[in-house]
Amino acid sequence: MTLISSPVAANSSSAADPERGSFQPRITDPLCVLLSDGSSLTARQVATQAHRSGHTVGALSPTRLGLAGLTRHVRRLHAVPPFGQDPHGWLEAALRVVRTGRYDVMIATHEQAALLALEAPRLRELGLALAVPSFAAMLRVQ
């Protein structure tokens, strides 16, 4: 799971993409990325960038009509309860998806970040990396 994203660390195969005008990192081992929510513009943007960087993307979503479900950059949507109505039901559904072993990392795209930070040990013991701060750090900024 090696991603070289620094222009200094990357070799000459990494360069700015003239079409998009952005730096494209060199990936030695693509990841399977799971987004915590697939209904927002943020999720669609993260999915697009992760896919363009060579990663496989899945998303948790209470609906197939969310933006992530309408982009070719998301390979699979996983049905979960709406987070705001049932955060613990959402977490249990997310854990079922993680237990399939398909994903290497979960990226929290919205309010799920607090619950994921709190429950990080449960997710990490399943072998999932999380892109969330510690729960203690989240409490300090709330």
Side-chain angles (χ1 to χ4, degrees), residues 11 14 16 28 30 36 44 46 53-54 62 65 67 71 73 108-109 116 118:
N11 67 17
S14 297
T28 59
S36 67
R44 193 208 46 87
V46 171
S53 294
L65 299 176
L67 290 175
T71 177
H73 302 296
T109 55
L116 290 171
L118 180 65

Side-chain angles (χ1 to χ4, degrees), residues 45-109:
Q45 291 169 330
V46 171
T48 299
Q49 292 306 311
H51 182 262
R52 285 182 177 168
S53 294
H55 305 295
T56 300
V57 180
L60 303 173
S61 183
T63 177
R64 296 200 60 77
L65 299 176
L67 290 175
L70 303 175
T71 177
R72 63 185 168 89
H73 302 296
V74 173
R75 179 172 287 176
R76 183 164 182 184
L77 280 179
H78 301 276
V80 294
F83 182 82
Q85 294 173 12
D86 186 8
H88 295 289
W90 176 91
L91 178 64
E92 292 307 315
L95 286 167
R96 282 192 296 276
V97 171
V98 170
R99 284 187 190 105
T100 67
R102 289 188 188 121
Y103 295 99
D104 300 306
V105 63
M106 183 186 292
I107 298 174
T109 55

